[in-house]
Amino acid sequence: MKSILERRGRLVLVVAVVAIVATVSGLSVKGASAAKRSNITLTIDVFGDFGYHDLYKQYEASHPGITIKEDTEDYAPHHTALAQHLATGAGADDIEAIEVGFIANYTTQSRYFVDLRKYGASKLKKRYPNWKWQQAVAHNKTVVGLGTDVGSLGICYRKDLFKKAGLPTKPAALAKLWPTWSKFLAAGKRYQKHAPAGTKFIDSGSNLFNAMIAQATPGYYSKSGKVIVKSNPQVKAAWNLTMQAIKLHEDKGLVAFAADWNAGFKNGTFATVTCPAWMMGYIQGQAPDASGKWNIADVPGGGGNWGGSFLTVTKQSQHQKEAAALVKFLTSPKSETYVFKHTGNLPSEVPVLKSKTVRKFRNPYFSNAPVGKIFANSALKLKPQPLGPHQGDFQTASTNAIQRVEQHIQSPKAAWKQFLKDVATASG
Amino acid sequence: MSAVSGTGRPGEAVVAPRARRKLLRRLDAKLSPYLFISPFFLIFSVFGLFPLGYTAYVSLTDRTLLAPVVHFIGLHNYALLIHDSYFWNAVENTFGIWLLSTVPQLLLALVIAHILNTKLYARTFFRMAILLPQVTSLVAVALIFTQLFAHDYGFVNYVFAKFGVHHIYWESGRFSSWVALSVMVMWRWTGYNALIYLAAMQSIPEELYEAAAVDGARRFRQFIHVTVPMLRPTILFTVIISTIGGLQLFTEAFLFQSRTSGGTGGSGRQYQTIVMYLYEKFLGSTQFKFGYAAAIAWCLVLLIALFGLVNYFLVSRIRSAET
């Protein structure tokens, strides 16, 4: 018995020593080789698909010694993890993507980021629409990030359902039919009269509301950064129109990104959905068989932005210069055009939006709609909207409020009241 | 050691090691037990005690994740929490779901254990099968059940429609969402509890059943008057375990909601549990209110402790009833 124990003890000791030696020597080997070849690995943290993979390969080929590693996650966990990594001072990648809903959170915390002016970003200002540029500029003029895409708006609609309900099916005719949102609801009323059984004109009240909020100038925040949800007549008008759509039974009342909503794309339970440019990819993913059934028309009320991102370089980065160079490469007009053609994310640079490649681009899935022209026009028409740090929370609160009305939990009045209360809590 | 003393002066050499050995033996008897149990307490103090204390400290501050300055604000967070209707709503939801899942679950487990205790065909197979839900991933369970309980294309509504029941909005109703979540919890834990009951049932002496049979008790009466009383301590154990689990309910409810709602547990917070509310304040929104979330965490600790005390008194009462 004793000898077995002893033997086992000795075995453990041997294993431990071997393990330690292996680790130490492994480290030293790694360190030596890194020093010899002066290799740099740049890490980039994005959410969803930014469509950069081929661009990484290009960049690696033209910059020997640089390896690029991408981490990707879902939208919400990505931004949560980013906040944790920045606050704890460890774990952030060299390059971090930040969506517009969160960017105001970080322009007020610019000490976590490299000022890209240090690496010649000021020269790139001309490229961007002023509003897109300003969104990533802190109060102390630090340039926190460079813009990637914009989420300019269109209306995606089911051609087949429109036809059955006796509505025009051509994008141009529809653009004339709904120059404003109230005209849009009137079209919905027409649709609902002869609607195919079980279908509604609009997928979800909150999608309608968010699109209107995206167009409002100002929206939730005033120019001076004050929360004006309660006093801004544009917010209340958007709310009232949404309530009207629910009252007129034009709204399917689905929860965006939930199971029934996803299935709705496939089964055609709603005729329209407000479409930021990035939504195209989502619809194709949900309903690959519905190719040719969807089309895209201009959004009521002119331009509007919903989504879009920025690339930033964190102060935690060990290779800030190289990371900044990569950010410049990825946000260059050439790279952005490439991404648009392959993934559908709409570039934010003005010259690209005006370029022939984008304006002539058609999407076969969406009945060959001139998506490049529609979205580029919407982006160029866009009026800037001041953003604030709790933008995302207000959106969650409004989405919940609208759903409470859709699900008959609350009256519109009570839901509005609770929405204002939630806004006060979130901004307090 | 012994080699050195062996070559030294004989008189001393005999006394010194003996005293030393005695001391060592005494130390061995006194210290070793503590040494043996120390790994748990060392790890517990690093991963359990320290976070507990640190959370208590954070709950007294206005700390948020990104703000650089932290102020000590005393019990302000707790004062806010007491008047926070969303918090009490979460407490209500948590207890509601706990009650709705635990009571039917334990009753069902008892019945299943009783059936498995009889001479069943392929008994081992059934005993193994009942534990299968335990080895599935919690996330997978939640995601699949969420699909099953969807309104338009959910399987549950599809089956209900066959019986003429109109489609139910499981997610949006308060009671209906509690039912859906309870089903998830039950599906996963009933087999586990049944197995514990089964083990306890097999230790009940056969003579008791024989005596009951002689007295003319049928199987159902045997179950009520012999099996259940003998299982009392085991039942209490499962009640305590499911209470602790139930008060910490998070994953099922969190994944049941849509991706856009940031931890609110339904548009009207119909099924937001305490831990979900903690998460919402902590990481679910852009506020990152660590101080407030820490206060919620400590209130949860107090609630569980309170429940533990209630259970303790129940246990001691049962014991005194037995003797």
Side-chain angles (χ1 to χ4, degrees), chain A residues 167-246:
Chain A
L167 254 62
T169 54
K170 290 258 158 53
L174 289 170
K176 263 186 212 144
L177 186 67
W178 59 52
T180 63
W181 286 104
S182 54
K183 290 267 169 65
F184 183 72
L185 291 194
K189 214 170 164 184
R190 244 177 91 187
Y191 174 88
Q192 231 52 66
K193 257 184 205 155
H194 304 284
T199 71
K200 297 277 183 189
F201 187 59
I202 296 163
D203 59 332
S204 128
S206 60
N207 274 354
L208 179 72
F209 181 77
N210 283 333
M212 288 189 273
I213 290 296
Q215 291 177 338
T217 49
Y220 291 140
Y221 282 89
S222 75
K223 250 188 188 157
S224 57
K226 251 178 60 186
V227 178
I228 50 166
V229 176
K230 198 176 171 182
S231 58
N232 185 356
Q234 295 189 61
V235 175
K236 191 67 211 247
W239 173 268
N240 288 340
L241 271 173
T242 309
M243 291 303 119
Q244 201 190 329
I246 297 171

Side-chain angles (χ1 to χ4, degrees), chain A residues 78-98 102 105-107 109-114 144 312-317, chain B residues 65-66:
Chain A
H78 166 81
H79 288 96
T80 308
L82 173 63
Q84 287 171 295
H85 291 156
L86 292 178
T88 52
D93 278 2
D94 295 312
I95 300 170
E96 290 278 353
I98 301 177
F102 288 88
N105 240 344
Y106 295 108
T107 45
Q109 312 281 349
S110 58
R111 69 204 142 92
Y112 291 123
F113 299 95
V114 172
V144 170
T312 65
V313 178
T314 59
K315 280 252 175 79
Q316 284 177 32
S317 168
Chain B
L65 182 58
L66 293 170

Side-chain angles (χ1 to χ4, degrees), chain A residues 397 404 417-427, chain B residues 86 269:
Chain A
R404 286 196 297 274
K417 218 175 131 192
Q418 194 178 330
F419 168 54
L420 291 182
K421 188 189 144 202
D422 287 346
V423 165
T425 315
S427 43
Chain B
Y86 288 166
R269 298 166 190 270

Side-chain angles (χ1 to χ4, degrees), chain B residues 4-47:
Chain B
V4 174
S5 53
T7 53
R9 273 162 247 153
E12 263 182 64
V14 180
V15 177
R18 198 174 282 167
R20 208 173 287 151
R21 216 172 284 159
K22 214 172 167 186
L23 182 76
L24 275 176
R25 200 173 299 152
R26 209 173 336 129
L27 276 179
D28 183 36
K30 291 250 159 155
L31 270 181
S32 320
Y34 294 102
L35 216 64
F36 287 137
I37 58 165
S38 66
F40 168 78
F41 285 97
L42 283 176
I43 290 172
F44 175 75
S45 55
V46 172
F47 294 104

Side-chain angles (χ1 to χ4, degrees), chain A residues 75-76 79-80 83 99-106 108-109 221 388-396 425-428, chain B residues 64-67 262 279-290:
Chain A
Y75 170 76
H79 288 96
T80 308
E99 207 251 1
V100 63
F102 288 88
I103 193 71
N105 240 344
Y106 295 108
T108 52
Q109 312 281 349
Y221 282 89
H390 301 304
Q391 199 93 7
D393 294 344
F394 299 165
Q395 187 172 320
T396 307
T425 315
S427 43
Chain B
T64 64
L65 182 58
L66 293 170
Y279 178 87
E280 187 197 342
K281 288 291 164 192
F282 187 52
L283 291 174
S285 60
T286 53
Q287 305 159 60
F288 303 118
K289 285 189 172 154
F290 276 28

Side-chain angles (χ1 to χ4, degrees), chain B residues 144-190:
Chain B
I144 288 171
F145 272 86
T146 303
Q147 299 259 330
L148 294 182
F149 282 110
H151 176 261
D152 289 350
Y153 301 104
F155 182 71
V156 177
N157 275 346
Y158 170 78
V159 172
F160 274 32
K162 295 268 175 216
F163 293 100
V165 181
H166 203 68
H167 279 197
I168 297 170
Y169 276 107
W170 291 99
E171 202 257 3
S172 66
R174 194 166 196 211
F175 186 71
S176 61
S177 61
W178 290 5
V179 170
L181 288 170
S182 302
V183 169
M184 292 186 210
V185 175
M186 280 172 63
W187 184 81
R188 199 174 150 81
W189 289 99
T190 306

